[in-house]
Amino acid sequence: MSTTTTVVTAVAAFMAGFSGASVFLRATFVVEPLAAYGVPRAWWNWLGAAKVAGAVGLVVGFFVPLVGTLAAVGLVLYFAGAVVTVLRARSYGHVPFPLVYMAPAVAVLVVA
């Protein structure tokens, strides 16, 4: 595994893990937009768990590359869904946020 792949994967894992932890910790900058977008509160823990699982999958990918690739695909799909959710809520100014979190997962797929 190249240094670039290692760094990109570590950054993607950190960002996904941070994002998931922010949901679990009910960080204001995460939960207020979720509520504004109309995401049911009952989904929040599941959404956080999906992000944390993606982060863990990326780390496992250092040892089992297929798992890392599948985790990256899952995170790209997750954040694509987040973009759709933000667009449906007509919060166009918030679209860059899920894209920023999606970018490292896309990069993992490109460099892998």
Side-chain angles (χ1 to χ4, degrees):
M1 182 179 287
S2 73
T3 302
T4 302
T5 304
T6 301
V7 169
V8 167
T9 303
V11 167
F14 173 79
M15 290 180 69
F18 172 79
S19 184
S22 297
V23 173
F24 287 129
L25 296 173
R26 299 295 191 253
T28 305
F29 66 92
V30 174
V31 296
E32 282 182 359
L34 284 176
Y37 304 151
V39 177
R41 197 179 237 292
W43 293 10
W44 294 2
N45 285 336
W46 291 107
L47 296 174
K51 291 189 257 188
V52 170
V56 170
L58 289 173
V59 172
V60 170
F62 287 127
F63 308 100
V64 185
L66 178 62
V67 172
T69 300
L70 293 174
V73 168
L75 286 169
V76 168
L77 292 173
Y78 176 95
F79 288 113
V83 169
V84 170
T85 299
V86 172
L87 290 172
R88 289 186 66 188
R90 300 181 191 268
S91 286
Y92 304 117
H94 291 187
V95 171
F97 297 111
L99 292 175
V100 165
Y101 282 95
M102 182 194 303
V106 171
V108 167
L109 295 173
V110 170
V111 299

